[in-house]
Amino acid sequence: AQKVTQAQTEISVVEKEDVTLDCVYETRDTTYYLFWYKQPPSGELVFLIRRNSFDEQNEISGRYSWNFQKSTSSFNFTITASQVVDSAVYFCALNDNYGQNFVFGPGTRLSVLP
Amino acid sequence: ETGVTQTPRHLVMGMTNKKSLKCEQHLGHNAMYWYKQSAKKPLELMFVYNFKEQTENNSVPSRFSPECPNSSHLFLHLHTLQPEDSALYLCASSQLQGGNSPLHFGNGTRLTVT
């Protein structure tokens, strides 16, 4: 069975600090896909990034970066120079190769204080 | 209008009422989903429709009844709900082509059962 763990329930940082959100996954599949979503107070889950299991290159998009390590089954998300607008709940998710087995982690609530 | 639209945004209903949640996607996707998000609990997949056919029903009580008249519209009919059904109900869509297709979510309907 697939499983996603986000051990950090809540994190608070002061604006401009860097913060890393942890994600650990479990799957027996060799082909799978990992995702990060952001849920601001408005409620909508916003898709941030997708990674497939064969691509371990780290990715950077502006202040966001992702570190995928198959050896530790982790897909961590770092926000550099955090801003108040980054305050949200962040979800890590895992999907199998067939496409209908999305599993979400419990989420990490990030609060960025001014 | 683009994306995934859900109505109403907020709904308060008594346990004997009958109401419906509506979801419409403007992304040309072939799959639609209902998720339930309760406080302190992970996102729960309720129903999946693939090309208008229901392909997943995760042991959801019969007081929740989905309807998918076409690939762009999805409804969730509610009747004789319980207070524990109060939650954020999220609709999502995706283009099923294996597991790499992300889910695109609406803003959700915040349901309160009194």
Side-chain angles (χ1 to χ4, degrees), chain A:
Chain A
Q2 302 194 135
K3 184 179 178 182
V4 176
T5 301
Q6 295 178 256
Q8 304 147 309
T9 306
E10 295 190 33
I11 302 176
S12 287
V13 298
V14 177
E15 207 169 18
K16 298 185 183 176
E17 285 185 4
D18 298 347
V19 58
T20 295
L21 310 181
D22 297 334
C23 173
V24 174
Y25 62 92
E26 295 177 30
T27 179
R28 294 181 181 175
D29 296 340
T30 55
T31 302
Y32 52 88
Y33 300 86
L34 295 162
F35 302 80
W36 274 97
Y37 284 84
K38 174 182 179 180
Q39 186 179 36
S42 60
E44 177 183 357
L45 272 83
V46 178
F47 165 62
L48 295 178
I49 191 173
R50 168 190 56 222
R51 248 312 168 247
N52 73 54
S53 52
F54 298 107
D55 184 1
E56 285 193 75
Q57 278 194 345
N58 291 331
E59 181 154 343
I60 298 175
S61 176
R63 296 184 296 107
Y64 294 173
S65 62
W66 291 269
N67 183 359
F68 175 30
Q69 293 196 338
K70 286 179 76 170
S71 60
T72 56
S73 296
S74 65
F75 186 42
N76 295 338
F77 174 27
T78 296
I79 302 175
T80 303
S82 60
Q83 299 177 3
V84 173
V85 293
D86 296 326
S87 297
V89 181
Y90 291 86
F91 292 92
C92 182
L94 169 68
N95 200 9
D96 64 20
N97 194 36
Y98 302 101
Q100 289 187 266
N101 194 18
F102 249 97
V103 175
F104 284 85
T108 297
R109 180 176 299 279
L110 173 65
S111 297
V112 181
L113 307 174

Side-chain angles (χ1 to χ4, degrees), chain B residues 18-88:
Chain B
K18 290 184 180 180
K19 297 286 184 182
S20 296
L21 310 185
K22 179 183 175 182
C23 176
E24 184 174 0
Q25 59 100 357
H26 307 272
L27 300 169
H29 289 163
N30 57 15
M32 296 188 76
Y33 310 75
W34 280 117
Y35 279 86
K36 176 183 178 181
Q37 187 178 30
S38 306
K40 312 269 185 194
K41 293 177 74 174
L43 277 161
E44 300 173 58
L45 177 63
M46 300 176 71
F47 301 103
V48 180
Y49 277 84
N50 182 357
F51 290 104
K52 302 187 302 174
E53 297 297 321
Q54 185 174 305
T55 58
E56 192 90 20
N57 173 352
N58 282 353
S59 303
V60 179
S62 60
R63 56 186 184 268
F64 295 92
S65 174
E67 178 189 359
C68 188
N70 55 61
S71 57
S72 298
H73 293 85
L74 185 64
F75 296 90
L76 188 62
H77 304 298
L78 316 170
H79 64 98
T80 58
L81 294 190
Q82 305 298 311
E84 61 264 29
D85 297 322
S86 298
L88 180 67

